[in-house]
Amino acid sequence: TFDKISTKRAVAGRGINLAREVLVSRGESVDSKAVVEKLGLPLFVKPNASGSSFGVTKVTTAEQIPAAVEAAFKESDEVLIEECIVGREMGCGVVVTADREILLPITEIVSKRDFFDYEAKYTEGLSDEITPAPISDEIKQKLNSMTLEAYRACRCSGIVRIDFIVTEAGEPYLIEIN
């Protein structure tokens, strides 16, 4: 699941919402205008295989895309450019043993920065984690269902945290699996 595009391909078609994306491999050129026409703005540009938000940039103009792609290439040989899904970030933990599936309480992650970047993750006071997340039972059910489905689709094992953005309309979108 460290490979974000492989994760998205594994869960696609299983009732899990995914941000639209453009995948760029090292050596390929990026047509910023075409990317914006396809995905809109703002966008997230991220290394395909990296963690802790290293190399992740939120761009708000087409002119920012080339520099963001170069920053992401410092962390990975492939770069994922994704549409920005606006909403609340949720972390959903699950533990699967030989005889049980245990869904942990959902945590809402509230960044005090523009998004949950490296600084917000690792600098005290730049984010709050609220457990259990103050969400409706309906959203909790959707998150729990998608969490288990993603876990199975990616053939995970042991303890896993799956991160989602939940839109204002209550629709969860998978971000990544940890």
Side-chain angles (χ1 to χ4, degrees):
T1 62
F2 197 65
D3 184 307
K4 292 170 181 60
I5 197 70
S6 293
T7 299
K8 289 179 84 165
R9 289 175 179 154
V11 302
R14 293 175 170 263
I16 298 171
N17 299 315
L18 301 167
R20 295 174 302 140
E21 85 280 328
V22 170
L23 180 67
V24 182
S25 296
R26 190 176 301 281
E28 292 180 346
S29 62
V30 177
D31 181 339
S32 298
K33 182 179 176 186
V35 169
V36 170
E37 286 176 9
K38 179 178 179 179
L39 304 177
L41 287 169
L43 297 165
F44 279 98
V45 179
K46 55 180 86 169
N48 183 50
S50 183
S52 295
S53 297
F54 288 128
V56 176
T57 307
K58 183 176 182 181
V59 299
T60 57
T61 68
E63 293 75 27
Q64 295 170 323
I65 293 173
V69 168
E70 285 308 309
F73 273 133
K74 291 179 182 173
E75 303 296 329
S76 179
D77 287 333
E78 294 178 311
V79 171
L80 203 56
I81 305 172
E82 290 183 324
E83 70 177 322
C84 176
I85 305 297
V86 177
R88 298 164 63 191
E89 187 161 345
M90 304 287 164
C92 304
V94 60
V95 180
V96 176
T97 67
D99 57 350
R100 293 190 342 160
E101 293 177 333
I102 304 164
L103 290 158
L104 302 175
I106 297 167
T107 297
E108 180 173 9
I109 302 157
V110 181
S111 176
K112 295 178 183 170
R113 295 177 53 87
D114 191 31
F115 67 98
F116 196 45
D117 63 2
Y118 181 86
E119 296 295 323
K121 288 178 181 178
Y122 299 108
T123 304
E124 188 174 338
L126 289 185
S127 63
D128 295 318
E129 295 184 13
I130 304 162
T131 308
I135 55 176
S136 69
D137 287 341
E138 179 184 354
I139 292 172
K140 180 181 174 185
Q141 281 298 109
K142 286 181 183 180
L143 286 166
N144 285 340
S145 175
M146 288 183 186
T147 294
L148 287 172
E149 188 62 32
Y151 186 100
R152 292 178 190 124
C154 293
R155 298 187 307 259
C156 295
S157 62
I159 302 170
V160 173
R161 187 189 77 240
I162 303 180
D163 297 333
F164 294 88
I165 295 289
V166 178
T167 66
E168 190 175 314
E171 289 301 318
Y173 281 75
L174 185 134
I175 301 173
E176 65 180 355
I177 300 177
N178 299 281

